[in-house]
Amino acid sequence: MIRFIRVFLKVKLPEKRLSAIFKRSGQQIYNVTLFFLFFMSLYALIGVQFFGPLEHHCIKINTNAANVTFNDLAIPDAICSPHKDGYNCPNGTSCQELQLPRDVRGFAGFDEFATSFFTVYQASSMEGWSLTMYRTMDALPTWRSVIYFFSLIFFLSWLVKVSAMSE
């Protein structure tokens, strides 16, 4: 490692050449960053409109929704759909809307633009996005989640890499 640094320090490029390299690469980085932020903002807005807050959970029947404990939730805590097009709760539980605090329900979701932007960033890094996709598939019609997340991965992961390499 030290040899590599020594060789790098001994190589002297003309100052004009260095400034041309930084100018050209700076413009490319700027273009890719604008492209990435545009699509992230677009998908964050679409996510808020498509999904919104995922607040329906499977809880035991005859449980007061205002006073839910951890033992009242279905294990594992399942996001459910109040309609017939998502996940239906198992026997002995019902799908009810819960107003859980942010630290309990997690920071990934589509409640508002900021959390949606964070969720889109997480998905575009391709780390942990599948859990969010499965939660949205449980809460809403499956086709929404599949189209949204597959196009998001295509545009924000693959296309940004291709555009970064082509410039």
Side-chain angles (χ1 to χ4, degrees):
M1 179 71 176
I2 295 175
R3 260 187 222 167
F4 174 74
I5 295 173
R6 285 182 186 165
V7 169
F8 183 71
L9 291 176
K10 288 182 181 180
V11 174
K12 301 269 184 181
L13 291 174
E15 198 167 309
K16 211 183 241 190
R17 175 90 170 135
L18 278 177
S19 66
I21 290 172
F22 284 129
K23 185 177 180 181
R24 187 177 62 217
S25 63
Q27 184 64 34
Q28 290 172 351
I29 290 171
Y30 176 76
N31 290 338
V32 170
T33 303
L34 280 180
F35 180 78
F36 188 64
L37 288 176
F38 170 75
F39 274 102
M40 280 184 64
S41 300
L42 178 70
Y43 271 92
L45 288 172
I46 292 171
V48 169
Q49 294 300 314
F50 254 23
F51 306 115
L54 305 173
E55 296 176 337
H56 288 84
H57 298 266
C58 293
I59 61 174
K60 291 181 182 175
I61 295 176
N62 300 329
T63 301
N64 182 8
N67 190 19
V68 174
T69 64
F70 184 73
N71 293 331
D72 295 328
L73 295 171
I75 303 297
D77 180 25
I79 301 288
C80 59
S81 175
H83 313 292
K84 295 184 185 207
D85 52 4
Y87 176 73
N88 295 322
C89 295
N91 293 335
T93 60
S94 66
C95 186
Q96 294 185 18
E97 184 176 350
L98 299 179
Q99 299 294 330
L100 298 174
R102 171 73 58 202
D103 60 337
V104 173
R105 70 176 178 228
F107 292 96
F110 298 99
D111 302 353
E112 67 243 357
F113 181 77
T115 56
S116 183
F117 194 83
F118 173 74
T119 304
V120 169
Y121 176 76
Q122 181 182 18
S124 67
S125 70
M126 295 174 56
E127 294 291 331
W129 67 274
S130 58
L131 177 63
T132 306
M133 183 183 74
Y134 291 138
R135 290 178 65 177
T136 57
M137 288 172 81
D138 288 343
L140 297 162
T142 304
W143 65 269
R144 284 187 191 180
S145 300
V146 170
I147 290 173
Y148 178 82
F149 280 98
F150 285 178
S151 65
L152 185 146
I153 294 298
F154 174 76
F155 281 116
L156 291 179
S157 295
W158 185 75
L159 205 56
V160 167
K161 289 177 187 174
V162 170
S163 68
M165 292 189 319
S166 68
E167 289 187 11

